[in-house]
Amino acid sequence: GDIVLLAEPVTLTEGDRVTLTTDVPVATDGTSKPEKLLYAVSVPPVHGQIEHINYPGMPISTYSQLDVVAQKVSSVHDNSHEAGKESLR
């Protein structure tokens, strides 16, 4: 089916950690099997990383819709002072 991705921007400042929820992002593919949806990080954050909460400090490049539903994925800013704000899209 068609894939629909709805995402609100998330803005992080120095040292922030934001847990992704189904508000940010939510996707559907028309199959009514959200447990099979996978996200790929095509452009990683410049001043931080996307992490699974069970493995802090280790960047991930993919995660599932179930990880988002369980609130197990975070975007983490790297504390770089010169970076200012960064947005996750």
Side-chain angles (χ1 to χ4, degrees), residues 10-20 44-60 72-80 83-88:
V10 174
T11 302
L12 294 97
T13 55
E14 182 183 328
D16 279 351
R17 171 184 293 273
V18 174
T19 300
L20 302 185
V46 174
H47 297 286
Q49 58 195 22
I50 307 297
E51 298 178 351
H52 191 282
I53 64 165
N54 291 348
Y55 305 99
M58 296 182 64
I60 58 174
K72 297 204 177 251
V73 180
S74 295
S75 180
V76 182
H77 194 282
D78 67 2
N79 283 327
S80 54
K85 291 183 179 180
E86 179 159 64
S87 293
L88 172 66

Side-chain angles (χ1 to χ4, degrees), residues 24-37:
V24 184
V26 62
T28 61
D29 69 353
T31 66
S32 68
K33 293 185 180 182
E35 67 276 5
K36 301 226 181 224
L37 287 173

Side-chain angles (χ1 to χ4, degrees), residues 6 31 61 68-69:
L6 303 172
T31 66
S61 60
V68 174
V69 169

